[in-house]
Amino acid sequence: NATEEKFVLDTLAGCIEYKSLLDVVVDAFFVRDGRYCLISERNLYIVICYLATFQLEELGLQHFSRIVKSLDTAKMQKFLRFFFNALYLNTWIKDEWSQFYDSLYVKENWIDPLLRWQPKVQQLIEQLTDILSNRTTTVKSSTVTQPKEFNLTVPKPRAIPIPLPIPLLEKRPPVPPSTYKPPKEKKQLEEIKTKNRRKAEVSIRSITHACKGDTFFLNSLLVQGTFLTGREVVPFLPQYLEVVWELTDNIPIKLNAAAILREGALYQRKMEQELKRIENLLRGAGDPSEFLEWQKQMRGKDLEEQLAEIECRRLQGKLSHEEAVLAHQNVIQENKKKADLMREEKAELMHRYAEKRLQEQKEMRDLVEQVVEGHKNAKQAKIKLQKYKQRIVQEVCEENRELLRQALEEEEEKLRKRYELIQQIRAIESLPSVRHKFVDLTETGGHGLICEMSIVELRERLALLRDTQKAAEEEKRDQIIHEKQAKEQLLLDKLDQISLFRAQLGRAAALKQEEKKRKSQSGERPMKDERILNLQKKIVEKTMERKKQAGLL
């Protein structure tokens, strides 16, 4: 009933919730007093421990005694005597439980109630002990049994089964090597991803350097929501962007040998280009700085137009989304009407189906009565068939006995021949053989070769070869040390040159940054495009209409 089901579910939930506390007691019981108990009975002890600790106040001693006495008496007597031991409760059980819960809470809510119930539970333990003692002492006295010889029939010799042939396993195909190799598509996707990321980083750098002080550009980036890299954009202002540029310019970079040589070659190439430009100016060539400035302004205007076009496309997408939401709400209303019609049709069909089922059940009863009458006539035919099968089985058993006798004779002949062959092999192995051979290290092998030598001569030549190799290694080591020192001196010279170039470039960049700040402060803020304003008004109108429609739904 519902009460018993609730009790079982509460007990299961409690055992799962307090599993760590119950495992402490049950594990200790299996180590100390329950060494010979079955591990499959662990859940039984967990449930009894939970009822005694958390449900004894609600159940009462009488109901708890009924549960305990319905189980195995010896197991319950041993477990309750172990668990309600006052010394165990006050010492290690309390300490182990205090590792999971507060010690004061453990003592007041669990240990003290168990100690209060301990005298009454002790009486229950004594009752279980008395039951066990009565069970073991009451032994029925019986007369001594006089053995008599059994009148058994002589069993027939068992038929020896024919040995089955050992089936040969089919050769399995080997595991293809492609199983342990990553697919080519994954590698291609990684390469494409790396190339796209590099392109995105290059475009980001070019855009941010071109419009570093442009507020409209920064706001449009916030409206888009993401950079080309796919990461979320954090709201920022031009002053924060300038701080980021200054921090990234001043980050110290640890250079290895290749980086030092590469940077030194770069500065050397820049210095040669600058000397060439000055030489051309001295010869009368023109300065392309005006053209570069005009080119930069044109690119900035093109970028502003591109960003305005992007903003228009984004607003158009948002407007189409609002229209789609309105269309979806209209479809929901139509679907509700269709669902009501389908429910009415379903009720009509169910009524027809119930009438059809009643008719089929009536026809099925008539058919069952006809089948029962047919079964009565089939019993006699079944008895005749059984006798015919018994006669066939007897004939087959006689044939099997003859085949088994022939197979046994052939197997005995094979075993006899095998035994004789083993005896011959053992006799051959028992003959003594000379296993020691004396070797003279100063003699050659006597094979008639020109390059023949003794082991002593070979060892001398190997020692000379080792000395030669060692001298060559020492010479090469000295050469490597000299080359390494020369390379270190070259790197130090390059570092000095790089530090000078960096200082000059830093001062030039600071002057250029100050000039850009003055230009950005003096410039005017660009006005928004009329198309963007019109699209924003349409989006607000559609949003209001959608909210009104949602309220009606």
Side-chain angles (χ1 to χ4, degrees):
N1 54 20
T3 307
E4 293 177 352
E5 183 180 0
K6 184 178 182 301
F7 173 73
V8 171
L9 292 175
D10 292 342
T11 305
L12 176 61
C15 292
I16 295 172
E17 182 179 2
Y18 299 101
K19 185 177 182 299
S20 56
L21 302 179
L22 303 177
D23 287 343
V24 170
V25 178
V26 176
D27 291 342
F29 170 72
F30 275 97
V31 171
R32 299 187 181 186
D33 296 346
R35 289 190 297 272
Y36 303 107
C37 295
L38 297 176
I39 197 67
S40 60
E41 299 169 352
R42 176 184 176 86
N43 292 332
L44 173 65
Y45 297 127
I46 288 176
V47 171
I48 296 299
C49 182
Y50 170 78
L51 294 177
T53 307
F54 301 97
Q55 297 292 328
L56 193 54
E57 296 285 344
E58 296 180 11
L59 292 175
L61 186 63
Q62 184 178 1
H63 194 51
F64 180 76
S65 301
R66 286 171 56 196
I67 294 174
V68 170
K69 289 179 181 178
S70 65
L71 301 172
D72 189 90
T73 307
K75 297 174 184 176
M76 292 298 102
Q77 187 263 351
K78 187 181 294 185
F79 180 76
L80 292 176
R81 186 181 59 191
F82 169 81
F83 183 53
F84 281 91
N85 191 336
L87 179 62
Y88 292 168
L89 289 172
N90 288 319
T91 54
W92 61 269
I93 293 179
K94 179 183 175 182
D95 295 338
E96 291 293 330
W97 286 1
S98 298
Q99 293 180 3
F100 302 99
Y101 295 89
D102 185 64
S103 59
L104 184 61
Y105 179 84
V106 170
K107 185 176 185 304
E108 291 178 356
N109 292 277
W110 297 330
I111 300 298
D112 291 343
L114 289 173
L115 292 175
R116 284 199 305 271
W117 283 99
Q118 198 266 344
K120 296 181 180 179
V121 176
Q122 189 65 33
Q123 296 176 3
L124 176 61
I125 296 171
E126 292 174 0
Q127 293 176 9
L128 297 176
T129 306
D130 294 337
I131 294 171
L132 289 174
S133 61
N134 292 334
R135 183 187 300 175
T136 55
T137 54
T138 58
V139 179
K140 295 181 181 179
S141 60
S142 60
T143 59
V144 179
T145 304
Q146 298 295 333
K148 292 182 180 180
E149 186 177 358
F150 294 98
N151 187 13
L152 301 175
T153 57
V154 179
K156 296 180 181 180
R158 292 186 178 181
I160 301 174
I162 300 174
L164 298 175
I166 300 173
L168 298 176
L169 297 176
E170 296 181 359
K171 188 176 180 182
R172 301 295 180 185
V175 180
S178 60
T179 305
Y180 306 102
K181 294 180 181 179
K184 295 180 180 179
E185 290 79 7
K186 186 177 180 181
K187 187 176 180 181
Q188 293 175 358
L189 289 174
E190 291 294 335
E191 291 177 358
I192 293 170
K193 185 177 178 182
T194 306
K195 291 180 181 178
N196 292 340
R197 185 172 182 81
R198 289 176 180 171
K199 290 179 181 178
E201 290 176 354
V202 170
S203 60
I204 288 169
R205 291 195 192 98
S206 62
I207 291 170
T208 50
H209 279 291
C211 299
K212 187 175 176 182
D214 196 344
T215 309
F216 176 73
F217 166 74
L218 299 175
N219 293 332
S220 64
L221 283 180
L222 292 176
V223 170
Q224 289 178 7
T226 56
F227 264 118
L228 297 177
T229 55
R231 298 182 181 177
E232 186 178 357
V233 177
V234 179
F236 56 85
L237 294 173
Q239 56 267 29
Y240 299 152
L241 190 63
E242 293 170 3
V243 172
V244 170
W245 250 288
E246 293 176 0
L247 291 174
T248 53
D249 289 340
N250 296 328
I251 292 174
I253 301 172
K254 185 176 180 181
L255 301 176
N256 54 11
I260 292 170
L261 294 174
R262 189 164 53 247
E263 193 169 356
L266 175 64
Y267 289 140
Q268 185 68 26
R269 191 163 56 251
K270 286 184 178 181
M271 186 173 64
E272 291 175 358
Q273 291 176 358
E274 187 66 22
L275 291 174
K276 189 175 181 180
R277 189 181 67 83
I278 294 171
E279 186 176 353
N280 291 334
L281 289 174
L282 292 174
R283 290 177 181 177
D287 190 4
S289 59
E290 294 180 359
F291 172 75
L292 294 175
E293 186 66 25
W294 173 82
Q295 188 181 25
K296 185 177 179 181
Q297 292 176 1
M298 292 296 104
R299 286 179 179 176
K301 290 181 181 179
D302 294 340
L303 185 61
E304 289 178 2
E305 294 176 359
Q306 183 182 1
L307 291 174
E309 188 67 26
I310 291 171
E311 179 66 14
C312 289
R313 286 200 297 268
R314 189 192 68 81
L315 293 175
Q316 288 174 359
K318 192 172 182 181
L319 180 61
S320 62
H321 172 71
E322 295 292 338
E323 293 175 352
V325 171
L326 285 172
H328 180 65
Q329 290 176 353
N330 295 330
V331 170
I332 290 173
Q333 290 181 354
E334 294 178 359
N335 291 338
K336 284 183 179 179
K337 294 178 182 178
K338 292 179 181 179
D340 294 336
L341 294 174
M342 290 178 67
R343 288 193 194 97
E344 295 176 358
E345 294 176 358
K346 185 178 179 182
E348 183 69 21
L349 292 173
M350 289 298 292
H351 181 66
R352 294 178 184 174
Y353 177 73
E355 293 178 353
K356 186 178 178 181
R357 288 291 296 173
L358 290 173
Q359 185 67 23
E360 290 178 354
Q361 287 178 1
K362 186 177 179 181
E363 295 175 356
M364 188 63 67
R365 288 195 202 97
D366 298 337
L367 182 62
V368 168
E369 292 176 357
Q370 295 175 5
V371 171
V372 169
E373 292 178 358
H375 283 180
K376 292 178 182 178
N377 299 327
K379 286 184 179 179
Q380 296 177 358
K382 188 176 181 181
I383 293 170
K384 293 180 181 179
L385 181 63
Q386 190 174 5
K387 291 180 180 179
Y388 176 70
K389 288 182 178 179
Q390 288 177 356
R391 187 169 64 254
I392 293 174
V393 168
Q394 290 177 358
E395 294 176 358
V396 172
C397 288
E398 291 176 358
E399 293 178 359
N400 287 340
R401 290 194 192 98
E402 183 64 24
L403 291 173
L404 287 173
R405 187 181 61 76
Q406 295 177 3
L408 283 174
E409 291 177 357
E410 293 176 358
E411 192 66 26
E412 288 177 357
E413 183 66 22
K414 289 181 182 179
L415 289 174
R416 187 181 61 77
K417 292 180 180 180
R418 192 177 299 169
Y419 179 75
E420 292 176 358
L421 182 60
I422 291 171
Q423 293 294 333
Q424 294 176 6
I425 293 171
R426 288 181 178 174
I428 293 171
E429 289 179 350
S430 62
L431 295 176
S433 60
V434 179
R435 298 182 180 180
H436 298 286
K437 185 178 179 181
F438 298 99
V439 180
D440 188 4
L441 300 179
T442 58
E443 292 182 356
T444 59
H447 300 295
L449 300 175
I450 299 174
C451 59
E452 243 180 358
M453 66 179 72
S454 63
I455 295 177
V456 175
E457 185 179 357
L458 178 63
R459 289 175 179 172
E460 291 178 356
R461 292 192 179 188
L462 287 174
L464 292 173
L465 184 60
R466 286 195 206 97
D467 295 340
T468 306
Q469 289 179 351
K470 191 173 181 181
E473 287 177 0
E474 291 293 336
E475 184 178 356
K476 191 172 183 180
R477 188 179 292 112
D478 294 339
Q479 183 181 358
I480 290 171
I481 290 170
H482 290 310
E483 292 177 355
K484 189 175 180 180
Q485 290 176 355
K487 188 176 180 181
E488 288 178 353
Q489 185 63 35
L490 177 63
L491 291 176
L492 291 174
D493 296 340
K494 289 287 184 182
L495 280 174
D496 295 338
Q497 186 180 1
I498 288 168
S499 61
L500 291 174
F501 276 109
R502 281 184 178 177
Q504 294 294 332
L505 290 175
R507 285 192 289 271
L511 294 173
K512 191 174 181 180
Q513 190 69 20
E514 290 178 0
E515 184 179 355
K516 284 186 178 181
K517 284 182 183 179
R518 289 195 298 270
K519 289 182 179 180
S520 63
Q521 290 175 1
S522 62
E524 296 180 357
R525 294 181 61 183
M527 297 298 292
K528 285 189 177 181
D529 196 351
E530 292 182 0
R531 294 181 298 167
I532 296 174
L533 296 175
N534 293 332
L535 289 172
Q536 288 178 351
K537 289 180 182 178
K538 290 182 180 180
I539 290 171
V540 172
E541 293 175 358
K542 292 291 182 181
T543 304
M544 296 297 292
E545 185 178 355
R546 177 174 58 82
K547 290 181 179 179
K548 188 184 295 182
Q549 190 73 18
L552 294 175
L553 287 173

